[in-house]
Amino acid sequence: MIAAFQKQLLVPGSSIRVHLVGVAGSGMSGLAQLLLEMGHRVSGCDRSTTSETERLQKEGMTFYSPHVAEAIEDAEVIVYSSAIPASNPVRVRAEELGLTSLRRAECLAAILHTRKGIVVSGTHGKTTTSAMTAHLLAESGLKPCHYVGAEIPVLGRNAHWNPEAAYMVAEGDESDGTLVNYQPEHSIILNIEAEHLDHYSGLDEIKAVFQQLIDQTRDKVIYCRECPVASELLSGNSKGLSYGWSDADFTASNLTETHGRIHFDVSYQGEVIGRAELGIPGRHNVLNSLAAIATAWLQGAKFESLARGLSSFAGAKRRFESKYLTQNYQIIDDYGHHPTEIAATLQTARSLQPGRLIVLFQPHRYSRTQRLATEFGEALQAADVVYVTDVYPASEAPIPGISGETIVEAVQRTGDTKVVSVPDLETAHHAIGNKMRPGDLFLTLGAGNVHIAGTALAKALDTLEELTERCQDKVSARLYEPMRKHTTLLVGGPAQFWIEPSSFNDFKALVRFARRRSLPIRVVGRGSNLLVRDGGIPGIVIHPSGGPFSSVEFRDGHIVAGAGAKFKKVASIAQQHGLSGFGWMEGIPGSVGGGLRMNAGAMGIETFDQVVSVTSLDEDGEIRTRNREEIVSYYRNVPELQRNYALEATFKSIPSELENIDAEIDASKSKRKSSQPIAASSGCTFKNPDSIPAGKLVDELGLKGSSVGGATVSDVHGNFIINEQNATATEVITLIEKIRSEARESRGIELETEVQITGENEFLF
């Protein structure tokens, strides 16, 4: 079948109608590219559109999504990947029509055999070595065709056809036994390990496939001397040409690593032929480069051109690919999904000398996870912190008892490296991003879609670093800060960008930046009257802290307090200066800014009863001070401070005897102790209706003690919902709605929440 298709390909001016099933995959998209450039009429189908299918459509491919049988009514040949089952509607229809159906490797073999083929094979390292080999041949003036399993910036794309080329470099896949389809001019064997045991019975069967490839190779087989299995198969074989650290035809020595690049001497049969500079890091890539050098050397390439090619080589997508790099942080993505690959990748990452090496590992396939758990645990010990997602199945059915936790347990069992389970990949970057600190290198590892976490984190870090650059003073800033740490109710999802300015000018700069970037802004003090939904708060959460924000002082006969100062501190400073009227503040757990915004109160007094003036950052970005008479305030609502941001307030003060002041404070403490629960809460949940206090209403409705999950109505005060058992925000809100519904249906009263509810129900960032 391969030979027949090859003959069709070789007919001058022929244009075959070919349809590719599963064309969005990197391997199949490469075939589509080759066939299009060869002048054939190409269509393809897949479950969804990708950037690759969109690119191919611009090149002339007709695309269908999802898989539809009608797409092949005029096709002559269909090509499918190993992941496409026989029950696929396109494959079923092709059989009904009697069309030629080829596996991906069979189609590639037919194309490869029209040229002097160079097949790159091995358990790992194929994509990098294939790309490097094609690049070195191109730098040597040979202009080969190529087919590589990933996007290669230095090559332009993952596949290219040159009708004038004598050579074609192709990455061969050993996972499904299809290496036996190739009859190349040269082969490269990087390594042979007991892998893909979902297809093979064991290492002996794998060796047999590689042996057949060796037998079918017409000229030289370039193999790694460091691989014992490859050496076993080729030792004494006249086709063999070896490379390695020593005792090989091509060797590398005198290695030096600087800034992610490696310099080394290259020797051929014991004689140094030149010194090379490799444009990507990693000792394992030095070995890969020797395979490429040996292949190009066989074709008569000069070392000068090889050295030039190695220096300009920039690697492949998802092969130690740098996603983000600043003075503070680095994010790298790598396809490594086998213990040997992971060990090499972590060694390379360590060579960059990061402050900490943080890894997010996504296990690939249940069978591999089960079989190699201990080896994974050992390899991951090279990291400082390891996060593990759930398994990427890659079309495999789950195996009972096997999950990401299998790897977590293996890491714990085999060493001391800290390991954290983050089963949900969509939110894994939240946990990691919150712990990132300057100097860290974050590495995403796996053959699935783990790279999306690095992409999301890179985007967020870029914004966070821009934010901090806007501040004149050093500020504390974090990604995805859990709001449960900053609310007295102890619930809430993460704040996307959490930042703590300590000066009015930095606060102003942050607000201006957010508005220019259309980022939402929320200012949070102590979170005493705040309920954040479980999806967290998108945008910037500003927590004024330190400097003038935390300051409380007696000035010109008044108390002047920053927006971040605790009410308790205001009451204490007033007491020290013999000032009365502040005792009620002792019982308020919040801060001045929050108290101003909602006109908080207790014991018959409200915040604005004592305000002399408020300094705020206004909507137009200017800082202004207004007297009390200029500010309209209502019960638990100050409209002006819904639009503007309070920075500082001046409170009127009345001198009094110390015993009177002490009595005020003691009364506030006593009332709070006797009427309010000790457990975590957000204070009063509802505003008091005109007809009845909210707490009394809840009591009369018989709802004290009622609960939803970990959220419970306090037995002490009916207007308090407490967090007794790690409640979620959803549980608290459900309980709030239950109370409101009962009040509406039983008493005709529409309860309005006093607690400020903000954030999203689901994660949006």
Side-chain angles (χ1 to χ4, degrees):
M1 192 177 294
I2 295 175
F5 184 52
Q6 183 182 342
K7 286 181 180 179
Q8 286 182 281
L9 293 171
L10 291 172
V11 175
S14 67
S15 179
I16 306 169
R17 173 69 174 87
V18 185
H19 182 84
L20 295 96
V21 190
V23 74
S26 60
M28 293 293 284
S29 67
L31 283 182
Q33 182 66 45
L34 289 173
L35 291 165
L36 284 167
E37 291 184 0
M38 293 172 79
H40 300 296
R41 292 169 292 136
V42 180
S43 63
C45 59
D46 216 310
R47 291 177 296 179
S48 58
T49 299
T50 65
S51 59
E52 193 69 359
T53 60
E54 289 175 352
R55 183 186 66 77
L56 287 168
Q57 284 178 271
K58 293 177 182 177
E59 298 277 342
M61 183 186 79
T62 303
F63 180 66
Y64 299 86
S65 182
H67 301 278
V68 288
E70 292 78 9
I72 62 167
E73 291 302 319
D74 63 338
E76 300 171 69
V77 177
I78 74 158
V79 182
Y80 59 93
S81 72
S82 297
I84 303 298
S87 59
N88 178 276
V90 180
R91 287 191 62 186
V92 171
R93 183 58 178 158
E95 187 173 351
E96 292 172 352
L97 293 173
L99 299 180
T100 298
S101 294
L102 298 172
R103 296 173 73 177
R104 176 172 65 91
E106 292 171 333
C107 178
L108 177 59
I111 297 172
L112 185 76
H113 295 165
T114 66
R115 296 293 181 268
K116 292 180 179 180
I118 299 169
V119 171
V120 182
S121 63
T123 310
H124 41 83
K126 295 185 295 294
T127 298
T128 298
T129 308
S130 300
M132 205 180 298
T133 302
H135 182 55
L136 293 193
L137 290 174
E139 285 292 315
S140 302
L142 296 175
K143 299 179 181 180
C145 307
H146 70 262
Y147 171 90
V148 182
E151 184 181 340
I152 311 296
V154 75
L155 296 179
R157 55 188 55 170
N158 62 338
H160 172 61
W161 177 258
N162 176 7
E164 305 301 321
Y167 295 92
M168 180 173 179
V169 180
E171 178 178 332
D173 183 9
E174 83 290 345
S175 66
D176 55 4
T178 52
L179 275 180
V180 298
N181 290 306
Y182 301 110
Q183 299 174 20
E185 186 79 7
H186 301 292
S187 291
I188 296 175
I189 297 179
L190 302 170
N191 34 64
I192 304 172
E193 297 183 12
E195 172 68 316
H196 308 296
L197 297 183
D198 54 323
H199 177 81
Y200 296 106
S201 61
L203 183 59
D204 286 343
E205 189 177 354
I206 297 171
K207 287 163 63 177
V209 168
F210 277 91
Q211 184 63 62
Q212 187 168 342
L213 174 66
I214 293 168
D215 294 341
Q216 293 172 180
T217 301
R218 293 190 292 273
D219 200 341
K220 292 295 185 182
V221 178
I222 299 95
Y223 70 97
C224 183
R225 189 74 177 81
E226 308 304 316
C227 175
V229 181
S231 295
E232 174 194 337
L233 294 182
L234 283 153
S235 181
N237 190 322
S238 60
K239 290 183 179 181
L241 185 69
S242 63
Y243 66 91
W245 300 121
S246 61
D247 191 27
D249 293 308
F250 284 86
T251 59
S253 59
N254 299 324
L255 275 67
T256 58
E257 300 182 51
T258 55
H259 307 294
R261 302 177 76 85
I262 303 180
H263 298 77
F264 57 96
D265 291 336
V266 179
S267 296
Y268 174 56
Q269 295 184 346
E271 295 292 329
V272 175
I273 58 175
R275 187 162 180 82
E277 176 189 12
L278 183 58
I280 55 175
R283 289 174 61 86
H284 63 294
N285 281 322
V286 173
L287 288 177
N288 292 337
S289 74
L290 288 177
I293 289 169
T295 305
W297 187 265
L298 282 174
Q299 317 317 318
K302 301 296 184 183
F303 188 81
E304 291 77 9
S305 63
L306 301 181
R308 184 174 62 248
L310 290 176
S311 178
S312 61
F313 185 72
K317 289 286 186 181
R318 301 220 58 222
R319 272 66 176 181
F320 212 76
E321 179 187 2
S322 181
K323 306 287 285 188
Y324 185 75
L325 177 62
T326 65
Q327 283 188 323
N328 296 316
Y329 305 101
Q330 185 167 11
I331 297 176
I332 291 173
D333 177 50
D334 194 86
Y335 190 75
H337 55 285
H338 184 277
T340 305
E341 293 174 314
I342 290 171
T345 301
L346 295 186
Q347 182 186 56
T348 301
R350 279 291 182 201
S351 74
L352 301 179
Q353 299 181 326
R356 292 188 305 169
L357 175 55
I358 300 173
V359 171
L360 175 63
F361 175 55
Q362 182 186 46
H364 187 258
R365 295 185 180 272
Y366 295 101
S367 57
R368 183 183 287 118
T369 301
Q370 181 183 46
R371 188 177 67 255
L372 299 175
T374 298
E375 289 85 348
F376 280 122
E378 292 169 347
L380 290 167
Q381 295 301 320
D384 293 300
V385 185
V386 175
Y387 292 83
V388 183
T389 75
D390 209 346
V391 177
Y392 186 85
S395 76
E396 267 193 349
I399 297 175
I402 302 301
S403 68
E405 292 294 333
T406 306
I407 302 298
V408 171
E409 292 166 4
V411 174
Q412 292 170 334
R413 187 172 64 246
T414 56
D416 299 325
T417 290
K418 181 180 178 182
V419 60
V420 181
S421 175
V422 283
D424 180 15
L425 177 61
E426 296 296 326
T427 58
H429 64 288
H430 291 170
I432 298 161
N434 186 245
K435 299 300 182 184
M436 290 280 284
R437 59 186 189 227
D440 286 346
L441 189 161
F442 173 49
L443 174 66
T444 52
L445 269 177
N449 59 342
V450 66
H451 56 89
I452 66 174
T455 301
L457 194 50
K459 183 178 179 181
L461 278 173
D462 186 52
T463 300
L464 187 73
E465 293 204 87
E466 276 196 79
L467 275 169
T468 57
E469 287 169 3
R470 295 297 184 276
C471 298
Q472 295 178 355
D473 301 323
K474 187 174 182 180
V475 296
S476 176
R478 293 184 292 280
L479 292 174
Y480 316 120
E481 178 73 358
M483 288 305 297
R484 65 178 180 273
K485 294 168 60 175
H486 301 283
T487 60
T488 55
L489 186 56
L490 305 181
V491 301
Q496 187 175 12
F497 305 105
W498 173 272
I499 192 160
E500 301 178 5
S502 57
S503 72
F504 292 172
N505 283 334
D506 281 351
F507 189 108
K508 179 178 177 178
L510 290 169
V511 171
R512 284 184 170 179
F513 174 80
R515 285 175 174 164
R516 283 198 301 270
R517 292 284 296 270
S518 299
L519 289 169
I521 307 168
R522 175 85 198 200
V523 181
V524 170
R526 297 197 67 216
S528 61
N529 191 49
L530 187 64
L531 172 54
V532 179
R533 295 185 179 93
D534 294 319
I537 305 176
I540 301 171
V541 175
I542 299 175
H543 178 66
S545 178
F549 291 116
S550 299
S551 172
V552 180
E553 58 184 55
F554 181 63
R555 188 191 307 165
D556 300 328
H558 297 301
I559 292 292
V560 181
K566 299 176 183 178
F567 266 139
K568 282 179 175 289
K569 183 177 179 180
V570 175
S572 176
I573 297 297
Q575 181 185 30
Q576 293 173 25
H577 287 84
L579 304 174
S580 67
F582 293 88
W584 67 275
M585 291 187 181
E586 200 287 333
I588 302 291
S591 59
V592 169
L596 290 168
R597 188 172 187 271
M598 65 166 293
N599 196 17
M603 301 180 70
I605 303 174
E606 293 180 337
T607 303
F608 271 83
D609 291 341
Q610 291 179 251
V611 167
V612 174
S613 65
V614 175
T615 299
S616 63
L617 177 66
D618 288 358
E619 287 179 295
D620 59 5
E622 295 301 322
I623 296 175
R624 293 187 175 87
T625 299
R626 290 181 176 81
N627 294 327
R628 169 67 182 88
E629 294 74 21
E630 300 176 76
I631 303 172
V632 177
S633 65
Y634 304 101
Y635 170 65
R636 301 299 180 263
N637 182 24
V638 182
E640 185 167 308
L641 295 181
Q642 306 301 313
R643 305 186 305 273
N644 304 324
Y645 303 103
L647 303 175
E648 183 181 80
T650 299
F651 297 94
K652 62 186 176 184
S653 309
I654 303 172
S656 182
E657 298 296 326
L658 186 59
E659 56 266 27
N660 294 334
I661 299 169
D662 290 345
E664 286 180 2
I665 292 175
D666 289 343
S668 178
K669 288 181 178 179
S670 177
K671 182 175 180 181
R672 184 177 184 186
K673 186 176 181 180
S674 63
S675 64
Q676 297 181 14
I678 298 174
S681 77
S682 58
C684 290
T685 304
F686 303 102
K687 296 179 181 178
N688 287 323
D690 294 335
S691 58
I692 185 174
K696 185 177 181 182
L697 173 62
V698 172
D699 193 5
E700 290 181 2
L701 292 172
L703 293 175
K704 275 188 174 180
S706 59
S707 64
V708 174
T712 303
V713 178
S714 170
D715 287 325
V716 178
H717 194 307
N719 202 14
F720 281 70
I721 291 177
I722 59 176
N723 182 354
E724 283 194 316
Q725 300 175 11
N726 296 317
T728 64
T730 300
E731 291 169 348
V732 175
I733 292 171
T734 302
L735 184 54
I736 287 172
E737 292 306 316
K738 176 181 176 182
I739 295 168
R740 294 185 69 194
S741 177
E742 187 66 26
R744 187 184 305 116
E745 294 175 8
S746 300
R747 303 287 286 272
I749 296 174
E750 193 67 47
L751 283 174
E752 184 180 350
T753 55
E754 181 172 317
V755 63
Q756 303 291 303
I757 303 175
T758 190
E760 305 293 333
N761 290 319
E762 298 179 352
F763 295 114
L764 300 178
F765 50 87

